[in-house]
Amino acid sequence: MSNIPAELKFVTSHEWVRNEGDGTVTVGISDHAQDLLGDLVHVDLPDVGEGFTAGDEIAVVESVKAASDVYCPVAGEVIEVNEELEDSPELVNTDAYGDGWLFKLKVEDEGEVDSLLDAEGYEQSLDDE
C-alpha cells in the first residue's frame, strides 16, 4: 500500500498538492507514482515565472524505465522549483512528499485547490485503476 498523507490533496494523474495557506502550493508526484516509475534519473522542471493552467504538461520525470509527464494540478505561476533535483533526482524516490517536491505555484484560485481529491478519494482512484 502506498503512503498517502491525509493533509495533502491529489490529482488522479498522481500529482500531490500541499496548500501552504498563503496563496501558494507545493507540488510533487505521489509515492504510488514514483514507485511505478522506479529509480528516477532526471527531472525536467518548469521555469520560474511561467504560467500554467490545470492539466497542462508542466514537468517531466524520467526513470530507468520510462519518461512521464507531470501535469499542473491547478492554474498558477511557478514561483520556485526544487533545484536539488537537478543533481539528486532520486530524492523523489526516497522522500516523495518531502525533499522530493518538484515546484511551487502561486495559485490563481484557491478554491481550485479545495476541489482536488483528498487522501481517501485518491486512494479510491488507485483502487479503481
Side-chain angles (χ1 to χ4, degrees), residues 44-75:
D44 186 20
L45 296 170
D47 293 326
V48 171
E50 282 189 279
F52 293 88
T53 59
D56 284 351
E57 295 171 8
I58 190 169
V60 176
V61 290
E62 186 177 334
S63 72
V64 293
K65 295 180 182 176
S68 182
D69 292 324
V70 175
Y71 299 96
C72 193
V74 294

Side-chain angles (χ1 to χ4, degrees), residues 9-129:
K9 294 288 194 169
F10 295 87
V11 183
T12 56
S13 53
H14 307 298
E15 291 81 10
W16 60 261
V17 176
R18 177 181 297 118
N19 189 343
E20 302 296 350
D22 60 357
T24 68
V25 295
T26 301
V27 179
I29 62 170
S30 71
D31 185 55
H32 175 78
Q34 70 77 24
D35 189 48
L36 288 177
L37 287 165
D39 295 336
L40 293 187
V41 294
H42 180 74
V43 179
D44 186 20
L45 296 170
D47 293 326
V48 171
E50 282 189 279
F52 293 88
T53 59
D56 284 351
E57 295 171 8
I58 190 169
V60 176
V61 290
E62 186 177 334
S63 72
V64 293
K65 295 180 182 176
S68 182
D69 292 324
V70 175
Y71 299 96
C72 193
V74 294
E77 177 185 329
V78 178
I79 58 169
E80 186 177 350
V81 297
N82 187 351
E83 295 178 358
E84 287 187 47
L85 297 179
E86 189 170 308
D87 294 328
S88 304
E90 69 276 6
L91 288 172
V92 177
N93 295 115
T94 59
D95 193 9
Y97 301 115
D99 290 341
W101 63 277
L102 300 180
F103 54 87
K104 296 182 181 188
L105 294 172
K106 179 176 176 50
V107 297
E108 290 180 9
D109 176 6
E110 289 196 55
E112 200 175 5
V113 177
D114 294 336
S115 69
L116 298 176
L117 294 173
D118 60 14
E120 186 176 318
Y122 180 63
E123 186 172 5
Q124 181 64 47
S125 76
L126 295 178
D127 291 342
D128 293 342
E129 283 187 351

